[in-house]
Amino acid sequence: MKKILFAFTMLLAIAACTNKPVTAVEKGGVRDVDNIVEGDHEESNERETTYFPAIDRYLTDSIGSKYAKGEHCVPIHSIVRVDERNSEDILVWGDFWVFNYNQSGDTLKCVSGGSHPGLMHIRQTAKGFEVTAFDQVEDGSSYLPTAKKIFGDKFNAFKTINSDEKARERLRAEGLATYAKKNGLAVTLYQDYGWPAKKLE
């Protein structure tokens, strides 16, 4: 599912992501997290208040850069579970996606992108957060066994998220709208190759 060139197979497995309702727990513990998209979180100039900007940077720099280039790289993700008990190794299980777009008039046209589910390892530093490692679900015949190994008792929750195409697409539209507003883009539509343009949420 990773490294799908959307110019050839767009929306056969297109997705954003979704999640079940959050379960509140004490800070520093283990918790389920509601849907998070790029731009939903605030980032301080001096210190990040959450680790989601670090996840976005990793998806953009380390994964999005390996796809066909676009003018805009937009990461989105649906978080399955977070374990914050160790600030030196915060664990974030999720269904992570990266999309590259070019702007044409009022439309963001998808160039490339793909799915990268797995487990992010994040460390808190004096300046903020950084991703130190990413345990990624593998392709092909290794997909199911590696997904079960990485997600463990969270596998069913991941499977529910990953299989909900309508909710994933809705989250992608919301994420793009947030990205466009944040970056001052005069766009109202997004489009995958060979498919009609859709409105941003």
Side-chain angles (χ1 to χ4, degrees), residues 77-81 92-96 116-120 134 151 158 161:
H77 32 78
S78 183
I79 306 304
V80 176
R81 184 71 59 83
V92 182
W93 291 266
D95 194 9
F96 305 100
H116 298 264
L119 169 61
M120 294 273 185
F134 182 33
F151 285 94
F158 161 69
I161 288 169

Side-chain angles (χ1 to χ4, degrees), residues 16-194:
C17 315
T18 187
N19 201 355
K20 296 185 291 186
V22 300
T23 302
V25 300
E26 295 182 7
K27 182 178 179 181
V30 180
R31 60 192 173 106
D32 296 323
V33 181
D34 207 355
N35 297 322
I36 304 293
V37 298
E38 200 284 335
D40 275 352
H41 34 69
E42 297 295 329
E43 182 174 358
S44 167
N45 289 332
E46 295 181 359
R47 181 182 176 86
E48 295 174 5
T49 56
T50 76
Y51 34 77
F52 292 108
I55 292 175
D56 288 343
R57 281 195 304 273
Y58 182 86
L59 291 172
T60 300
D61 298 341
S62 299
I63 295 179
S65 61
K66 296 178 182 178
Y67 285 100
K69 304 296 182 183
E71 297 169 347
H72 305 282
C73 182
V74 184
I76 58 174
H77 32 78
S78 183
I79 306 304
V80 176
R81 184 71 59 83
V82 171
D83 185 339
E84 300 173 330
R85 290 174 292 185
N86 181 0
S87 63
E88 291 297 312
D89 189 22
I90 297 169
L91 305 177
V92 182
W93 291 266
D95 194 9
F96 305 100
W97 286 78
V98 179
F99 299 94
N100 287 323
Y101 297 89
N102 287 332
Q103 183 176 349
S104 178
D106 64 348
T107 304
L108 287 173
K109 296 195 173 185
C110 192
V111 176
S112 61
S115 170
H116 298 264
L119 169 61
M120 294 273 185
H121 295 262
I122 301 169
R123 178 176 64 184
Q124 185 171 7
T125 71
K127 294 182 179 180
F129 295 90
E130 63 179 6
V131 175
T132 59
F134 182 33
D135 302 334
Q136 192 169 172
V137 174
E138 297 178 13
D139 290 324
S141 61
S142 297
Y143 181 85
L144 192 58
T146 56
K148 288 183 175 180
K149 180 179 179 181
I150 291 170
F151 285 94
D153 61 357
K154 298 163 286 297
F155 176 73
N156 286 337
F158 161 69
K159 189 167 62 173
T160 298
I161 288 169
N162 187 257
S163 63
D164 193 339
E165 185 176 341
K166 289 183 178 179
R168 293 194 310 262
E169 190 64 14
R170 183 175 64 249
L171 184 59
R172 182 164 73 119
E174 293 171 355
L176 282 172
T178 300
Y179 178 90
K181 181 178 180 180
K182 180 180 178 181
N183 292 277
L185 304 182
V187 294
T188 58
L189 303 168
Y190 70 102
Q191 186 175 23
D192 301 323
Y193 181 82

